[in-house]
Amino acid sequence: MLVSLFGYYIFKRVIYMTIERFIDRNLKLQHLRLLVTFAKMGKVSLVAEQLNVSQPAISKQISEIEVLLGAKIFERVGNRLIFTQKGKVLLARAREILSQLEQTKQELLQLNNGLAGHVRIGVPATLYHTIFFSFILELKKQAPDLAISIYPGAIDAVISALSIGEIDFALSRSIPAALGEGGFAFKKIQEDPIVICCGKNHPLAYKKNLKPAALDGYKWILPPEGSASYMGLNNWMYENNLSFPKGCVYSYFMMADKKLLLEHPFLTIMSSAYINSEENREDITPIKLKVNSFLESVWVIYNQSYAQPNIVRSISILKRIYENN
């Protein structure tokens, strides 16, 4: 009994080593393709034609597989060759491997073309509800498998995130002084100034030739402190001897801001594109000042050290969307 068990162990070990050696050292993609093609065609002549080789070459490859494996993968039944049980196991694995290789090939091609992976975008509040929506829709149309993360935030936090690779690129209304450090690059993509505005029911809505002093005392809906829009407005207020009163609202949500403007005499700042959009032009109006706008340009900022193909492709789509609007 012990001899029988030992003999069985040796037999299994030899089989295992033969298969392991075959897979590790001798298995070739052409062998796998031959097996899968034979399963489709059923005849050596058709396999040879499909793979663009001679029939003797196909027969030789079959012999190579069987010698290396130490087992028959085909058996003849009448005039036909059919897979043995071991041949069927090898065929199933061949299909899996070739399918995975094809999937890997497609994923790599998509990454190289910027059509897959993950892109993370920093967006200030004054840009989130304008053309940015069109950009996201177009990006998903061209790259449906691309994952997108959107991060609102002030530009100083965005630059910090960019520098360590937490965000791939960002939209901004200003170019920070530190931009020249750390491999940052930037491109202007649109002229879309920030405009001082109010709701259609505000006491100042339809008054003309207003002076900055007319704004004194009104409550504001403000972007977050530290954002480029806030700092731009704060500078404008300072230049015109104005200050923000107590009781202002700080908000990231421009869609909510519109409702607040219609229900309360707030002042705020919004992008010109947002104010003049078809859905807003009847409800939001610019304050009629001699100078009522600032931060005219929109920039895209990215770190060249992290500019993978999907990032470059996304920026290209973003630039084209802005140019066409």
Side-chain angles (χ1 to χ4, degrees):
M1 181 67 176
L2 183 60
V3 173
S4 297
L5 288 174
F6 180 74
Y8 177 75
Y9 169 79
I10 294 296
F11 171 76
K12 293 287 287 184
R13 184 61 182 165
V14 168
I15 292 296
Y16 174 79
M17 291 176 63
T18 300
I19 294 173
E20 184 180 53
R21 184 171 63 250
F22 167 67
I23 293 174
D24 286 348
R25 300 180 182 178
N26 302 289
L27 186 61
K28 300 176 182 177
L29 287 178
Q30 65 186 32
H31 293 145
L32 302 183
R33 293 192 180 100
L34 183 153
L35 294 174
V36 172
T37 306
F38 191 92
K40 294 178 182 177
M41 301 299 185
K43 291 184 178 180
V44 172
S45 59
L46 295 178
V47 173
E49 182 179 345
Q50 179 72 20
L51 298 179
N52 197 29
V53 296
S54 66
Q55 290 188 44
I58 295 298
S59 298
K60 181 181 178 182
Q61 289 184 41
I62 292 174
S63 296
E64 286 177 355
I65 297 172
E66 292 182 334
V67 169
L68 294 170
L69 187 59
K72 291 288 185 181
I73 60 171
F74 291 108
E75 59 183 354
R76 185 171 294 278
V77 177
N79 295 325
R80 298 172 55 239
L81 285 177
I82 64 171
F83 284 96
T84 63
Q85 193 61 38
K86 290 182 179 178
K88 290 178 181 179
V89 171
L90 195 57
L91 171 63
R93 296 297 176 259
R95 284 172 170 158
E96 290 179 10
I97 292 169
L98 291 177
S99 175
Q100 290 174 359
L101 285 174
E102 179 60 27
Q103 183 178 348
T104 301
K105 173 186 171 184
Q106 293 303 319
E107 289 176 356
L108 290 173
L109 285 173
Q110 288 184 339
L111 285 171
N112 286 336
N113 292 329
L115 296 176
H118 187 192
V119 64
R120 302 155 300 173
I121 311 166
V123 188
T126 56
L127 289 169
Y128 188 78
H129 293 289
T130 57
I131 204 69
F132 188 72
F133 280 135
S134 298
F135 161 62
I136 295 296
L137 292 174
E138 183 62 24
L139 192 58
K140 295 308 298 178
K141 179 180 177 181
Q142 294 194 29
D145 294 330
L146 181 67
I148 304 170
S149 295
I150 301 169
Y151 298 87
I155 191 59
D156 54 348
V158 167
I159 291 298
S160 176
L162 277 170
S163 65
I164 59 176
E166 290 184 350
I167 294 176
D168 298 312
F169 67 90
L171 300 180
S172 177
R173 291 189 173 278
S174 66
I175 304 174
L179 189 63
E181 304 172 6
F184 291 116
F186 62 94
K187 295 179 181 178
K188 184 192 293 188
I189 56 175
Q190 191 186 42
E191 294 295 326
D192 180 25
I194 289 291
V195 177
I196 300 172
C197 61
C198 62
K200 65 180 181 180
N201 300 320
H202 195 284
L204 302 180
Y206 300 104
K207 292 186 177 182
K208 299 181 179 180
N209 303 317
L210 292 171
K211 296 183 181 298
L215 279 59
D216 191 32
Y218 285 106
K219 302 291 193 292
W220 287 79
I221 301 174
L222 297 169
E225 290 185 277
S227 67
S229 299
Y230 177 87
M231 290 186 288
L233 176 60
N234 194 47
N235 289 339
W236 184 90
M237 296 283 284
Y238 178 78
E239 291 169 359
N240 290 282
N241 299 312
L242 295 173
S243 59
F244 298 120
K246 294 180 179 179
C248 291
V249 175
Y250 294 84
S251 173
Y252 269 115
F253 306 105
M254 294 183 70
M255 297 299 284
D257 296 352
K258 176 182 174 180
K259 294 181 180 180
L260 291 174
L261 289 178
L262 295 176
E263 298 295 331
H264 190 86
F266 282 116
L267 298 174
T268 193
I269 54 174
M270 293 181 173
S271 76
S272 177
Y274 184 73
I275 294 172
N276 293 313
S277 65
E278 185 175 350
E279 63 198 59
N280 293 319
R281 64 171 66 112
E282 299 295 328
D283 296 323
I284 304 173
T285 182
I287 298 293
K288 308 302 189 297
L289 297 161
K290 184 176 181 180
V291 178
N292 74 336
S293 63
F294 45 90
L295 297 175
E296 287 80 7
S297 300
V298 178
W299 304 83
V300 60
I301 305 173
Y302 61 99
N303 192 324
Q304 297 180 94
S305 302
Y306 297 97
Q308 300 298 320
N310 56 358
I311 300 171
V312 175
R313 180 69 175 271
S314 299
I315 292 173
S316 175
I317 293 172
L318 175 65
K319 193 170 187 299
R320 187 168 66 253
I321 289 290
Y322 272 94
E323 289 172 347
N324 293 335
N325 286 271

